Amino acid sequence: MPDSNHIIIAGAGLAGLTAAYDLQQQGFTTTILEASDSIGGRVKTIRQPFDNGLYAEAGAMAITSADTALLGLLKKLDLNLISLKQRIDNARYRAANQWHDINEPCSARILPDNLKQCSVSGLLRHYIDAARLEHLKPDTNCFNLNDELLALDELSLADFLRREGASECEIYLIANFSSAALLGDGIEHLSALQYLMRCGHKRDVDNFFAVENGNDNIITCLLQQLDSAPLTETPLIKVTQTKDGICAQAKTAEGEIIEIEGAALLCTLPLPVLKQVEFTPELNSDKSAVIAELADSYTSVSRVYFQCSPAHRQQGLKSAQSVIDRPSMIIEDHTNHLSDISMDVLEIHTIGDPARAVANMTLDEQVEKGSLILEEILPGITADKKTGIAVCWDKQPFHHGAYLSFRPGGMKHLPVLARPENNIYFAGEHVSMLPGSLEGAVRSANEAVSRLIADITS
Ligand SMILES: Cc1cc2nc3c(=O)[nH]c(=O)nc-3n(C[C@H](O)[C@H](O)[C@H](O)COP(=O)(O)OP(=O)(O)OC[C@H]3O[C@@H](n4cnc5c(N)ncnc54)[C@H](O)[C@@H]3O)c2cc1C
């Protein structure tokens, strides 16, 4: 008979480790199963092959001042934050070979005269009414979607903007040059509700942060707090619900099948992987259908990094994040918060369909292609190909995609996705009103643990 105080956790990303930490605080013991040989999942800082202690984020980069659950956790872990304020102050975009400040009037040739005085971010603000955002703040993950929210979910962000009176010309600008250009497969394919929830969450944001010396320090510090280390290279493959609890089967690196028993399972696996796990008895059919449908809604992201000289700061690129006139592509400057550097790390960040196309290339080919694009955008930059490195989230065997972006009509499935099945509980960024964020991962873990403890102790 399994120990009623022992919980099995699948996945050692931020949600899994936060859940383990919360459970330990409440007197539970855990076994954490992790498929990869490393811990942290989509919190991944790369330090090799860069020189002089430089690093870049391959997963989550920015934390906002609205991320209260995450900031609370970081405070408990005593982690120092650095400010990335440049991201909001100086964001730039390049159109028709010219650099523009995101807050300056648009001078793009495609705009009719009456719109040239609008900025790209101003266009978005104009159509997204601040008063409406007040009650779209996802304060909890209770997933109570009323009729108004369900109606917003059925719309794409582009259709929402059309409904609010935006012209096709404005939609083109927003789709290609605003922060919305960085989400999912573009604004025609993104649930309006997801975007508005995100805006509601960030409504009062006055600063962006990252953890000093790399976001992977969140993972290192969480691990230091845990009594037992995750079992790496041990993917969960089968879950059997027994009369008294759960029996989880996992495969070790040596090919051995091990069985672990617990009172409950808390599962944080990304949906494209979760759909491959065998459940006995099977999950309810509505749950399986939702997992299968949403598993196809993951955003593709490919990132290619180069160590190069900071001379580009004299050119057009002055901000941490610049939208460029290449479809679904931005340049990230990973050292923008540092003022005095001799070397810099620049990244070509590709999203959506163009990232899916890149996934068919070898990593070397991605580096080659990235260096050509960088040279074209910043002539004379001479990206150092020896220190070029590519990370393609579609190719990560335990993710098969970067993060969930709800398509129109997708968020209505959240109550089913989050619903526990007997003693199996679900968490992770995808079980959240703020998908694709650290805050969503932490909130989902906090809430799954509260539910689990309430059920077990009732
Ligand atoms: C490119 C990119 C940029 C991002 N930028 C930001 C940002 O700027 N700000 C922000 O807040 N968020 C950002 N995010 C999102 C953030 O990183 C994620 O939301 C968060 O890290 C997800 O945590 P998680 O625990 O839900 O999932 P994960 O971290 O993916 O954890 C799941 C774990 O499960 C493991 N696993 C998979 N299969 C199995 C199996 N069968 N058995 C056991 N384990 C398994 C995986 O290896 C992984 O470790 C970004 C993400 C990406 C990919």
Side-chain angles (χ1 to χ4, degrees):
M1 187 154 144
D3 176 352
S4 62
N5 248 17
H6 191 71
I7 311 297
I8 305 161
I9 295 179
L14 184 60
L17 297 180
T18 303
Y21 178 69
D22 287 356
L23 283 163
Q24 187 176 296
Q25 307 271 81
Q26 299 292 325
F28 288 83
T29 58
T30 57
T31 299
I32 311 174
L33 299 169
E34 169 54 52
S36 164
D37 58 359
S38 62
I39 309 238
R42 284 167 278 177
V43 178
K44 188 180 171 82
T45 308
I46 36 181
R47 298 165 196 285
Q48 301 294 335
F50 308 129
D51 299 323
N52 303 335
L54 289 174
Y55 60 86
E57 299 298 346
M61 199 159 161
I63 297 162
T64 78
S65 48
D67 295 345
T68 47
L70 173 65
L71 290 172
L73 176 68
L74 302 186
K75 195 163 178 211
K76 279 192 215 158
L77 298 175
D78 211 13
L79 281 162
N80 289 334
L81 298 176
I82 50 168
S83 170
L84 302 179
K85 199 159 192 306
Q86 294 270 39
R87 289 174 79 87
I88 26 184
D89 287 351
N90 284 343
R92 287 168 75 79
Y93 69 96
R94 201 183 86 137
N97 287 329
Q98 279 192 346
W99 290 100
H100 305 273
D101 191 310
I102 208 106
N103 290 313
E104 279 171 7
C106 302
S107 55
R109 267 176 268 155
I110 55 150
L111 274 182
D113 285 345
N114 64 335
L115 288 176
K116 284 197 198 301
Q117 288 312 307
C118 269
S119 68
V120 176
S121 54
L123 282 178
L124 257 177
R125 278 197 299 272
H126 177 73
Y127 290 111
I128 296 179
D129 177 13
R132 168 179 272 167
L133 294 182
E134 178 53 36
H135 72 280
L136 281 174
K137 239 177 168 174
D139 285 329
T140 66
N141 262 353
C142 59
F143 309 126
N144 279 335
L145 301 182
N146 61 27
D147 287 348
E148 186 202 345
L149 299 185
L150 287 170
L152 286 172
D153 182 40
E154 290 303 324
L155 292 175
S156 69
L157 177 57
D159 282 340
F160 168 81
L161 294 168
R162 282 186 190 104
R163 201 186 71 177
E164 299 296 300
S167 67
E168 290 307 312
C169 183
E170 290 168 298
I171 288 173
Y172 174 85
L173 271 178
I174 291 168
N176 289 285
F177 300 113
S178 73
S179 57
L182 306 179
L183 292 169
D185 279 292
I187 68 172
E188 298 283 358
H189 304 284
L190 181 71
S191 157
L193 179 62
Q194 178 180 335
Y195 189 73
L196 294 173
M197 283 278 177
R198 191 183 158 100
C199 293
H201 175 64
K202 290 187 173 176
R203 203 170 64 98
D204 302 320
V205 163
D206 53 5
N207 211 345
F208 287 84
F209 307 96
V211 172
E212 192 174 38
N213 293 322
N215 287 340
D216 58 352
N217 282 299
I218 308 174
I219 302 303
T220 309
C221 285
L222 268 170
L223 284 176
Q224 282 165 0
Q225 300 293 322
L226 296 180
D227 290 338
S228 59
L231 304 177
T232 51
E233 296 184 89
T234 312
L236 172 74
I237 50 172
K238 185 172 175 186
V239 180
T240 307
Q241 296 199 22
T242 62
K243 190 163 52 68
D244 306 308
I246 290 285
C247 174
Q249 283 188 1
K251 196 172 185 177
T252 66
E254 293 74 37
E256 191 194 338
I257 306 289
I258 56 167
E259 289 192 347
I260 294 149
E261 295 197 334
L265 169 74
L266 197 149
C267 184
T268 70
L269 307 189
L271 298 178
V273 196
L274 177 60
K275 74 176 188 186
Q276 293 165 4
V277 175
E278 189 184 332
F279 287 89
T280 308
E282 284 180 11
L283 296 175
N284 279 324
S285 55
D286 60 344
K287 180 91 146 191
S288 306
V290 162
I291 291 172
E293 182 182 329
L294 294 179
D296 286 336
S297 293
Y298 273 59
T299 301
S300 291
V301 173
S302 97
R303 311 183 82 164
V304 190
Y305 306 80
F306 298 97
Q307 181 173 307
C308 45
S309 96
H312 60 84
R313 290 191 183 180
Q314 315 319 316
Q315 300 189 37
L317 194 70
K318 292 192 174 107
S319 55
Q321 212 172 52
S322 302
V323 181
I324 55 175
D325 39 9
R326 288 295 200 109
S328 312
M329 230 177 246
I330 59 168
I331 298 182
E332 293 262 12
D333 178 353
H334 286 259
T335 44
N336 188 267
H337 56 282
L338 304 172
S339 49
D340 187 18
I341 48 163
S342 56
M343 285 307 229
D344 199 352
V345 176
L346 288 187
E347 176 210 340
I348 303 278
H349 186 110
T350 313
I351 311 129
D353 271 345
R356 254 169 231 124
V358 167
N360 295 323
M361 299 178 171
T362 65
L363 293 179
D364 283 349
E365 285 167 345
Q366 290 178 36
V367 169
E368 185 66 36
K369 184 174 178 218
S371 86
L372 291 174
I373 294 169
L374 205 56
E375 295 275 350
E376 190 197 302
I377 304 289
L378 298 167
I381 187 80
T382 50
D384 180 355
K385 273 176 248 162
K386 279 197 293 279
T387 56
I389 179 164
V391 176
C392 176
W393 282 96
D394 275 14
K395 285 194 174 178
Q396 301 294 314
F398 308 117
H399 290 91
H400 303 299
Y403 39 78
L404 181 61
S405 291
F406 288 102
R407 295 184 195 284
M411 284 187 100
K412 68 170 177 284
H413 298 309
L414 268 170
V416 172
L417 193 62
R419 186 188 66 208
E421 300 265 315
N422 297 323
N423 36 12
I424 306 176
Y425 294 79
F426 296 86
E429 55 90 15
H430 50 280
V431 192
S432 136
M433 295 281 207
L434 294 168
S437 73
L438 298 170
E439 176 73 4
V442 172
R443 285 189 191 193
S444 73
N446 293 159
E447 293 190 18
V449 167
S450 302
R451 230 177 205 198
L452 184 156
I453 293 178
D455 288 351
I456 281 192
T457 53
S458 67

